Amino acid sequence: MINSLFLINPSGEIFLEKHWKSVVSRSVCDYFLEAKEKALEPEDVPPVIHTPHHYLISIYRDKLFFLSVIQTEVPPLFVIEFLHRVAEMIQDYFGECSETVVKDHMVMVYELLEEMLDNGFPLATESNVLKEMIRPPTILRSVVNTLTGTSNVGDTLLTGQLSTIPWRRAGVRYTNNEAYFDVVEEIDAILDQSGTTVFAEIQGVVEACVKLSGMPDLTLSFMNPRLLDDVSFHPCVRYKLWESERVLSFIPPDGNFTLMTYHVNAQNLVAIPVYVKQSISFFECGSDGRLDVTVGPKQTMGKTVEGVMVTVHLPKTILSINLTATQGSYTYDNGTKVTTLWDIGKLNPQKLPNLRGSLSLQAGAPKPEENPSLNIDLKIQQLAISGLKVNRLDMFGEKYKPFKGVKYITKAGKFQVRT
Amino acid sequence: MLSMSTNNLSYNDQGGSDSAVEVGQETTPTSSNAGAGFGLFSTNFKKNDDLKEMLESNKDSLKLDAMKRIIALIAKGKNASELFPAVVKNVASKNIELKKLVYVYLVRYAEEQQDLALLSISTFQRALKDPNQLIRASALRVLSSIRVPIIVPIMMLAIKEAASDMSPYVRKTSAHAIQKLYSLDPDQKEHLIEVIDKLLKDKSTLVAGSVVMAFEEVCPDRIDLIHKNYRKLCNLLVDVEEWGQVVIITMLTRYARTQFTSPWKEDGLFDENSETAFYESDEKKTKNGDEKKSYMMDPDHRLLLRNTKPLLQSRNTAVVVSVAQLYWHLAPKHEVGVITKSLVRLLRSHREVQYVVLQNIATMSIQRKGMFEPYMKSFYVRSTDATHIKSLKLEILTSLANEANISTILREFQTYVKSQDKQFAAGTIQAIGRCATNISEVTDTCLQGLVLLLSNRDETVVAESVVVIKKLLQTQPTQHSDIIKHMAKLFDNIAVPMARASILWLMGEYCERVPQIAPDVLRKMAKSFTSEEDIVKLQTVNLAAKLYLTNSKQTKLLTQYILNLGKYDQNYDIRDRTRFIRQLIVPNEKSGALGKYARRILLAPKPAPVLESTYKDRDRYQLGTLSHTINTKASGYLELSDWPAVAPDQSVRNVEVIEPVKEWAPSLGKTGKSKLSKSSDDKFYSDSGEEKEKGSGSSSSDDSSSSSSSSSEESSSEAESDEEKSSSQSSEESDKSSSLSEKSSSESDSEQKKTTKKPPQKKTVKPTTKDSDSDENGNVAKETSSSSAEETSSGSESGSDADSHSGTDRKKKTKSKAKPKMEVKSTKEVSLLKEVSLLDLDDFTPTPVTRPKMSVLSPSLLGDLEGLSLSNISSTIQVSGPAFVPEKRHDLLHRMTGKGLSAQYQFPRQPCLYQPTMVSVQISLTNTTDHPLEQIHIGDRGPTGLDMHCFNTVECLLPEASVTVSLGVDFNDSTQAANFQLCTKEDQFSVSIQPAVGELFLPATMTEQDFRKEQGKLLGMNESSATITMAAENTTRQPISRQVATVANLGVVPSGQDNIHRFAGKTASSGAVVLVTVELRESSAALITINTEKSVMGPMLLRDLKRALARA
């Protein structure tokens, strides 16, 4: 299975290596670095590279490359999924996944990797189990450790891995028992120039934060489960009960986890919360163009649209821009990708935000063939755009009364306006 | 309250320690931050010495610091091997964290420092014996990770020991160790296979994934090891951890392709049945009226598909794709559709996941457009997609294009062509070209669109367009001379050399279609020849040559001019070409024979290029594999074999050998008895065949003793004596069945042998009149076996039987069962059938009882049998057959609430076949929908804890069909309802069976004296009585008996007095005696007295009786 793992930063420096079988020289990464050189963007590096003796499977995440070395046939998704788990685990332990964080906690990351795989085969990937073996660092604990000489390695015998519910650790105790569920829906859409919807769908996810003592057995039911077209679950969810009764019945892991993801039936027309009026044009003669973008609320179900952001990927030939925004501020980045980020904030229906101004192209550059596309970001609190509603949450197996909460958020996913 | 306060207290405590620590933090600056540690180190490389000192110090904290720095070095890829001696000394440290770090170090460097590594081995050997499973596991893990060949024997020993460890976690670790040892020393293969075989039998979900991984690595060709574990793996699959699931599913895909016949040839498969005719279950199916389906999927094949399907909902993308590929490679074509949605869902996942999934979809969509067409829009490209994602989506969109959606797709393509990503735009043009060739309706539109693109400003777009147009024109040159003309017109404006060259080539190739223009183009080229790019020059020479051959009159001079220019060109390629062409086309004495063929050489018809997907040939690799992704065979890739023409013997997957005789050996009521211990013992995997054996065994007369506890000795001694006599066949069988729980096996063995032994003895005495009875008995046996197999894996032999019966009603069943069996089975079996009825009649004189309803089982016979086996409870009371079987059916599940599935239950008043304490309930299931309902079974039983014996899963219930199944419920002598869930494949319905108190009895016969005697024991509290006014017609014996029998399952006790009627019975569960006396008084008054120690049941029964007798 997985032979080795290398963590590589965007500039090509290998800053961590871990081998689960015989050591593979890090020179194997040269093939990858070569491919990386060729690619314009880090995202364009092919995830699977075939070298004479090894296969390199890599992911790019949080500005880091996780590169694994494979020697024999293995489902590539198996490796990719695992690498993402590694990244999630680092995120989970240290709050973020970045080069500095990994470098700061080199030993702990190394120990975690040691626990996650045995001979290249995943051994413990559940956060609950790992945290029992190696405790995540806190400022408090690191101080205690230095004072008392104790360590982050769990000295109690872990039970999670041995129990039938490997995702939950035993002996959980809280003084305040609470369970929160966030229903987050994302609208994926492509709108064309005239504003008509080319493609739109709603993807949702139920994120849970469950801090309950003991072994609670929860049942979450929806008012309108028929909306859900396709679902995937955390392993804790009892699939059979979902099939028969459309309820989520599960013994939750401790802490934060993704309970389910879902796709809302495509037949239901998707409400697009905002409209975008745009005109971007380049003059045939002369080397400049004009940009004029207005954003307004459309179907918002009476809620305010917040956190609106418009990203414009401008052609590379743009030299400079001169824009004025009636609301919010814009930033202009002239790096590898020329982008303009317009941060609008809250959308005011009375006074629609507008961004307009001129663009100047490099002298002599031809008029860009295609107008840049706009990516929209937005957020609507207290609304699940599909209309999905949680009906109730019941708890069995424990005596106490937990505090329960549900929150709805709608966001823009891959929301693109073609111009 | 109390717990609250303690909680608070502890919370406060924590708070206290918090603040204390904060104070501490202020006073002591973080001294041993690991990061700072190696920061320091990297600046000063000499610090290695101090590491050594630190490791040799006495303080754990110093050692720990040192180890942390060392591990950080390793993590960075620096060499820390010289510290090996110092580190290895700490291997036995008491500090867990230190120890762990040392382990990590050891695993990394042991290979390089083999001699020193040996020092640590003894520590691990000790730890392998530790009482703590985690320590054992971790010791084995490290020991096996030390890649030192010398310790191979030690590792082997440790693995073998760990494989039979109590703890599943240790066994899992040993499965991992197998792979490590194998890679270290492949010579150990044979021994390792033994261990793998052993671990494959393990029932823990923890072990399953790891051992299959080991299997795949060490001996993937030993498919025979899987047979016996196949069903277990299928059933465990859902509970295995996600990584294990991937490995198991991949392995099972391969397995299934070698073991089952193809489900794909859906028509003309009738002959398939004749091939499999020797499998009983198959044959039965075909004879069973299921004829309209010619292909019958092996139940094991179905089991795999059924058990993997829920995993499509996994959060793990690897699991989803592995299930998808399993369906793709194994499922009947019409079922593959279920994977579509899940695969499309994965497109929301990370970029890398998208990449792999899209590749798989690309391969699938070539073969099965229909699968993904409804989701076409999910493959629309966004400007933010990575380049390789874009081209994959393009690929899929092209594959999905058909007459209906092509306009939508082309419109979408138009947007892409304008993309800033020129590589992508070029890809789009190629895609348009492919659509144009595939769908003839749009060829013209596409061509025109492409021609428009010729005026694009971007070189790559124009070049690509020209190239694609060239290809398109090649496929149908006749109609498109105007496009060639148009291109000639554009020629002046096109600057891209590749495009110019392509146009020139087109001119030359089709110069006969544009006889006016071509020479003109050549004229222009002659002018600008010197300033052209090389490829353009080459094509100009080509054009000139072709024109010279077709139209030498006009172009002779031009050609010579161009050839002259070429002769002195700077590029030697062009000089060479010119020289070659001149020799070829200009006739002179030196040119020789070749000149004659110039025309055929230059103007040979050229085959049109084929525009097809690059994913066309990828389907030779199993989907989801690395090989599929890189499109070359990766090392260690295991080929997916083709379906076998004839399925290998399917019985190899049976956990136990099933004798051919077993199935139809009829069984009677006592099956339940003999299974008393059994059914509770081995719920899982006890083989149904075995139980059937028992069913047949129990029909022998002496067998009833084996059930009663007192005579167990006798039966075992019998077993011994039988053993000597038994045929080789049965001894072989007993060997195999010994893998069952020991307790039951000895019992069943003896029974089996008896069965096989008996027939010859009794055969001759068979009275013909009992034929019908025997048939019925056979029928019951069937019922028993199929329902007793309920708890065994549903794929087992009897499960398949049950399948075949679904959708047929009871009558049909009886017929179809009896017939094919008789044909197939040996005469021995026939004799068995007869023998049973014989036996029974030998021992009993049937009591005459009324049989108002023909039930499946002759009640009298059964009752008699029951009576015998229960006789130890009370010497005077014998359980008899029911006096009356009420036909009343109760609704269990209404068809409205059951989404078309309706269920009714009734109490057949037969002693339960499964356990004597159970009350048997018959449920008839009817499908009122218009589609078949699958997998009807009993799900969650609810918390009431009533012991139930479920019926076997009904695999498929066709529309309008109904099936009757029987159930055993131990109501514990209370009228508490039995709640359970009736499940179909899609739904679950909570239902409950509410027994009337009268159904909880078994009728008993006894003499009047005995009755009085028993009654005398049950006075006082145990007696309840009431006086009622009887309905007028109820005053004679007959109606009273009937009324009482309707209410309660009681037997009639002969009575000397005309005005007193007595009825007796026992409760099913505890066997308590229930006595009912109805004493008629004058003027239609009557006194009902009930004596029973069940003081709750008494009054309830009284109430029911009162109501019944008073009713008109």
Side-chain angles (χ1 to χ4, degrees), chain B residues 824-937:
Chain B
V824 176
K825 294 283 159 57
S826 60
T827 48
K828 183 174 165 193
E829 196 193 9
V830 178
S831 66
L832 247 176
L833 279 170
K834 294 163 187 165
E835 170 244 328
V836 171
S837 51
L838 244 180
L839 268 177
D840 301 333
L841 292 168
D842 272 352
D843 287 343
F844 303 104
T845 41
T847 39
V849 270
T850 51
R851 266 162 55 178
K853 180 178 173 243
M854 184 65 180
S855 62
V856 186
L857 182 67
S858 143
S860 62
L861 206 51
L862 199 74
D864 292 343
L865 285 164
E866 280 301 317
L868 190 96
S869 59
L870 288 169
S871 59
N872 60 331
I873 296 172
S874 164
S875 58
T876 52
I877 301 172
Q878 289 198 332
V879 171
S880 63
F884 173 76
V885 180
E887 280 170 87
K888 190 173 180 221
R889 289 172 170 231
H890 313 266
D891 256 345
L892 185 62
L893 180 65
H894 192 262
R895 70 185 166 85
M896 296 310 284
T897 45
K899 298 186 189 167
L901 175 70
S902 84
Q904 291 187 311
Y905 67 96
Q906 74 177 109
F907 296 94
R909 294 200 170 173
Q910 292 153 20
C912 182
L913 302 169
Y914 316 117
Q915 277 188 28
T917 57
M918 285 181 174
V919 173
S920 63
V921 182
Q922 272 184 8
I923 299 180
S924 41
L925 302 162
T926 312
N927 181 358
T928 63
T929 62
D930 50 0
H931 55 87
L933 292 170
E934 286 176 32
Q935 297 168 31
I936 303 172
H937 62 279

Side-chain angles (χ1 to χ4, degrees), chain A residues 125-129 132 159-161 163-170 215-216 234-238 249-255 257, chain B residues 238-241 315:
Chain A
T125 49
E126 283 297 336
S127 147
N128 265 243
V129 175
E132 242 179 303
T159 48
Q161 202 158 16
S163 76
T164 45
I165 26 180
W167 55 84
R168 187 175 179 87
R169 60 194 178 91
M215 275 289 163
H234 188 274
C236 68
V237 177
R238 297 183 181 102
S249 162
F250 55 98
I251 295 175
D254 186 36
F257 64 100
Chain B
V238 185
D239 295 322
V240 175
E241 35 83 45
R315 65 163 171 179

Side-chain angles (χ1 to χ4, degrees), chain B residues 208-209 212 233-234 237 240 243-253:
Chain B
V212 171
L233 285 173
C234 286
L237 197 56
V240 175
W243 310 108
Q245 285 172 347
V246 178
V247 176
I248 296 177
I249 291 171
T250 314
M251 186 275 289
L252 288 179
T253 310

Side-chain angles (χ1 to χ4, degrees), chain A residues 170-354:
Chain A
V172 183
R173 278 194 68 81
Y174 289 101
T175 42
N176 296 320
N177 289 297
E178 37 192 27
Y180 298 107
F181 294 89
D182 291 0
V183 179
V184 183
E185 293 196 338
E186 293 193 351
I187 306 170
D188 284 3
I190 302 177
L191 306 183
D192 71 2
Q193 275 140 306
S194 57
T196 43
T197 312
V198 176
F199 165 75
E201 61 178 13
I202 300 172
Q203 304 279 353
V205 56
V206 180
E207 297 279 0
C209 174
V210 178
K211 293 181 174 169
L212 297 175
S213 314
M215 275 289 163
D217 194 334
L218 302 179
T219 306
L220 182 78
S221 60
F222 296 102
M223 303 272 262
N224 38 9
R226 273 171 190 280
L227 278 176
L228 308 180
D229 180 37
D230 181 46
V231 285
S232 74
F233 300 119
H234 188 274
C236 68
V237 177
R238 297 183 181 102
Y239 178 76
K240 279 265 154 74
L241 272 174
W242 170 260
E243 281 290 271
S244 63
E245 291 171 31
R246 298 277 146 178
V247 295
L248 296 173
S249 162
F250 55 98
I251 295 175
D254 186 36
N256 296 312
F257 64 100
T258 303
L259 181 62
M260 76 182 284
T261 61
Y262 60 87
H263 174 260
V264 174
N265 205 335
Q267 271 120 42
N268 303 349
L269 288 170
V270 179
I272 306 290
V274 293
Y275 69 88
V276 180
K277 264 203 296 203
Q278 41 73 30
S279 98
I280 302 174
S281 55
F282 297 97
F283 302 120
E284 196 62 58
C285 51
S287 57
D288 51 350
R290 242 189 26 230
L291 181 144
D292 188 338
V293 183
T294 311
V295 184
K298 201 172 167 189
Q299 292 157 289
T300 58
M301 324 265 171
K303 310 268 184 197
T304 9
V305 183
E306 300 169 28
V308 182
M309 257 196 287
V310 179
T311 315
V312 191
H313 293 278
L314 294 166
K316 283 204 170 69
T317 47
I318 297 266
L319 195 65
S320 68
I321 58 171
N322 181 21
L323 303 172
T324 41
T326 59
Q327 184 186 341
S329 59
Y330 80 91
T331 50
Y332 170 65
D333 171 27
N334 199 348
T336 50
K337 268 183 182 169
V338 186
T339 54
T340 303
L341 183 80
W342 178 28
D343 189 346
I344 300 172
K346 210 175 262 181
L347 212 55
N348 181 358
Q350 270 76 50
K351 196 169 148 289
L352 299 177
N354 171 270

Side-chain angles (χ1 to χ4, degrees), chain B residues 331-502:
Chain B
K333 295 284 187 204
H334 62 275
E335 283 175 45
V336 180
V338 299
I339 64 175
T340 314
K341 243 186 221 175
S342 306
L343 285 177
V344 172
R345 166 175 19 105
L346 300 189
L347 298 181
R348 278 277 299 174
S349 191
H350 303 285
R351 176 184 65 97
E352 298 83 7
V353 175
Q354 282 183 40
Y355 174 70
V356 177
V357 173
L358 284 171
Q359 278 187 324
N360 285 306
I361 293 179
T363 305
M364 290 184 193
S365 62
I366 288 170
Q367 286 181 35
R368 307 273 312 268
K369 282 185 186 187
M371 259 176 85
F372 292 97
E373 211 202 306
Y375 296 89
M376 193 176 77
K377 289 189 171 174
S378 304
F379 302 106
Y380 280 6
V381 176
R382 292 157 206 278
S383 59
T384 40
D385 285 334
T387 311
H388 48 255
I389 303 282
K390 283 181 185 164
S391 51
L392 276 166
K393 283 185 171 175
L394 208 55
E395 180 70 48
I396 293 167
L397 283 176
T398 315
S399 301
L400 293 182
N402 60 24
E403 284 84 355
N405 59 23
I406 184 68
S407 57
T408 327
I409 289 184
L410 281 181
R411 209 174 311 133
E412 189 65 18
F413 280 175
Q414 274 170 20
T415 325
Y416 303 163
V417 167
K418 290 189 280 177
S419 165
Q420 290 171 38
D421 184 344
K422 290 306 163 198
Q423 203 191 329
F424 171 57
T428 310
I429 292 165
Q430 280 176 5
I432 294 174
R434 252 178 72 200
C435 288
T437 43
N438 293 342
I439 302 161
S440 50
E441 281 90 338
V442 293
T443 313
D444 289 344
T445 331
C446 289
L447 259 177
Q448 272 152 26
L450 289 171
V451 169
L452 286 179
L453 287 175
L454 291 176
S455 48
N456 195 293
R457 211 175 292 114
D458 191 88
E459 290 187 359
T460 31
V461 172
V462 175
E464 202 65 49
S465 309
V466 170
V467 173
V468 171
I469 290 174
K470 188 191 93 180
K471 283 179 183 167
L472 279 179
L473 289 182
Q474 252 183 294
T475 54
Q476 37 186 185
T478 43
Q479 308 130 22
H480 295 295
S481 48
D482 50 332
I483 289 178
I484 301 175
K485 280 176 199 155
H486 180 77
M487 287 171 81
K489 272 182 218 152
L490 283 171
F491 186 73
D492 292 340
N493 302 325
I494 292 173
V496 182
M498 186 61 208
R500 285 176 78 88
S502 291

Side-chain angles (χ1 to χ4, degrees), chain B residues 869-1102:
Chain B
S869 59
L870 288 169
S871 59
N872 60 331
I873 296 172
S874 164
S875 58
T876 52
I877 301 172
Q878 289 198 332
V879 171
S880 63
F884 173 76
V885 180
E887 280 170 87
K888 190 173 180 221
R889 289 172 170 231
H890 313 266
D891 256 345
L892 185 62
L893 180 65
H894 192 262
R895 70 185 166 85
M896 296 310 284
T897 45
K899 298 186 189 167
L901 175 70
S902 84
Q904 291 187 311
Y905 67 96
Q906 74 177 109
F907 296 94
R909 294 200 170 173
Q910 292 153 20
C912 182
L913 302 169
Y914 316 117
Q915 277 188 28
T917 57
M918 285 181 174
V919 173
S920 63
V921 182
Q922 272 184 8
I923 299 180
S924 41
L925 302 162
T926 312
N927 181 358
T928 63
T929 62
D930 50 0
H931 55 87
L933 292 170
E934 286 176 32
Q935 297 168 31
I936 303 172
H937 62 279
I938 287 184
D940 194 14
R941 314 255 180 90
T944 48
L946 291 182
D947 197 5
M948 268 174 63
H949 197 288
C950 309
F951 58 87
N952 212 358
T953 302
V954 176
E955 280 303 327
C956 179
L957 189 58
L958 294 174
E960 302 306 323
S962 58
V963 65
T964 308
V965 291
S966 68
L967 196 70
V969 185
D970 189 347
F971 285 104
N972 270 329
D973 291 348
S974 84
T975 51
Q976 189 186 10
N979 296 310
F980 56 91
Q981 282 183 320
L982 195 60
C983 309
T984 64
K985 200 171 169 197
E986 290 90 15
D987 297 295
Q988 297 185 321
F989 313 103
S990 295
V991 294
S992 69
I993 293 178
Q994 177 76 54
V997 66
E999 303 295 347
L1000 302 174
F1001 304 125
L1002 295 171
T1005 50
M1006 58 174 76
T1007 60
E1008 201 176 342
Q1009 286 112 322
D1010 287 330
F1011 187 93
R1012 290 223 177 96
K1013 211 163 78 191
E1014 290 293 331
Q1015 200 173 22
K1017 292 181 200 164
L1018 296 165
L1019 295 174
M1021 261 181 63
N1022 294 331
E1023 187 177 85
S1024 41
S1025 60
T1027 315
I1028 56 159
T1029 317
M1030 300 255 278
E1033 63 269 31
N1034 280 352
T1035 45
T1036 51
R1037 176 170 293 274
Q1038 209 66 355
I1040 290 178
S1041 302
R1042 201 180 60 237
Q1043 289 296 352
V1044 171
T1046 314
V1047 171
N1049 188 14
L1050 296 173
V1052 184
V1053 176
S1055 167
Q1057 296 127 292
D1058 262 354
N1059 61 338
I1060 299 178
H1061 309 287
R1062 299 191 172 90
F1063 305 91
K1066 334 192 281 85
T1067 61
S1069 190
S1070 57
V1073 180
V1074 180
L1075 306 172
V1076 175
T1077 319
V1078 180
E1079 194 180 343
L1080 295 176
R1081 303 263 169 89
E1082 57 278 2
S1083 68
S1084 70
L1087 174 73
I1088 306 173
T1089 314
I1090 294 171
N1091 301 77
T1092 177
E1093 60 184 38
K1094 294 278 169 189
S1095 48
V1096 181
M1097 294 174 95
M1100 288 169 83
L1101 181 58
L1102 184 64

Side-chain angles (χ1 to χ4, degrees), chain B residues 643-918:
Chain B
W643 297 100
V646 180
D649 188 4
Q650 59 179 208
S651 62
V652 289
R653 284 185 294 277
N654 293 342
V655 181
E656 264 174 300
V657 157
I658 294 168
E659 253 199 317
V661 187
K662 92 277 156 172
E663 230 169 336
W664 290 100
S667 77
L668 286 182
K670 277 172 298 181
T671 330
K673 295 273 130 59
S674 55
K675 262 180 22 210
L676 240 169
S677 62
K678 230 203 106 101
S679 56
S680 55
D681 271 352
D682 36 351
K683 288 228 154 83
F684 218 27
Y685 300 125
S686 70
D687 191 69
S688 56
E690 208 267 348
E691 290 183 17
K692 282 176 216 154
E693 299 280 355
K694 277 214 201 153
S696 65
S698 62
S699 60
S700 58
S701 62
D702 50 354
D703 174 53
S704 61
S705 57
S706 74
S707 62
S708 64
S709 53
S710 60
S711 55
S712 62
E713 259 178 62
E714 187 198 340
S715 90
S716 62
S717 68
E718 254 183 40
E720 273 167 39
S721 64
D722 277 346
E723 210 136 27
E724 291 152 30
K725 291 179 240 163
S726 62
S727 63
S728 61
Q729 188 189 19
S730 58
S731 72
E732 183 188 303
E733 183 188 314
S734 68
D735 282 348
K736 301 227 166 101
S737 66
S738 63
S739 70
L740 256 181
S741 71
E742 283 179 41
K743 214 197 282 180
S744 64
S745 67
S746 73
E747 191 183 85
S748 62
D749 279 358
S750 66
E751 282 166 18
Q752 283 158 12
K753 280 158 207 159
K754 273 173 230 157
T755 331
T756 47
K757 199 172 53 128
K758 248 142 212 162
Q761 303 174 352
K762 305 268 178 168
K763 203 172 182 177
T764 48
V765 211
K766 171 223 158 194
T768 44
T769 45
K770 282 298 155 188
D771 246 352
S772 66
D773 255 350
S774 74
D775 243 11
E776 274 176 22
N777 294 339
N779 199 352
V780 171
K782 172 66 204 133
E783 198 60 33
T784 322
S785 57
S786 62
S787 39
S788 66
E790 222 297 294
E791 271 155 348
T792 70
S793 70
S794 58
S796 64
E797 182 101 347
S798 85
S800 70
D801 286 349
D803 288 356
S804 66
H805 293 309
S806 61
T808 60
D809 63 10
R810 177 160 289 276
K811 271 183 221 152
K812 223 180 191 173
K813 220 174 187 177
T814 324
K815 255 188 266 161
S816 59
K817 252 179 260 155
K819 256 195 255 158
K821 283 303 144 188
M822 294 301 228
E823 285 163 19
V824 176
K825 294 283 159 57
S826 60
T827 48
K828 183 174 165 193
E829 196 193 9
V830 178
S831 66
L832 247 176
L833 279 170
K834 294 163 187 165
E835 170 244 328
V836 171
S837 51
L838 244 180
L839 268 177
D840 301 333
L841 292 168
D842 272 352
D843 287 343
F844 303 104
T845 41
T847 39
V849 270
T850 51
R851 266 162 55 178
K853 180 178 173 243
M854 184 65 180
S855 62
V856 186
L857 182 67
S858 143
S860 62
L861 206 51
L862 199 74
D864 292 343
L865 285 164
E866 280 301 317
L868 190 96
S869 59
L870 288 169
S871 59
N872 60 331
I873 296 172
S874 164
S875 58
T876 52
I877 301 172
Q878 289 198 332
V879 171
S880 63
F884 173 76
V885 180
E887 280 170 87
K888 190 173 180 221
R889 289 172 170 231
H890 313 266
D891 256 345
L892 185 62
L893 180 65
H894 192 262
R895 70 185 166 85
M896 296 310 284
T897 45
K899 298 186 189 167
L901 175 70
S902 84
Q904 291 187 311
Y905 67 96
Q906 74 177 109
F907 296 94
R909 294 200 170 173
Q910 292 153 20
C912 182
L913 302 169
Y914 316 117
Q915 277 188 28
T917 57
M918 285 181 174

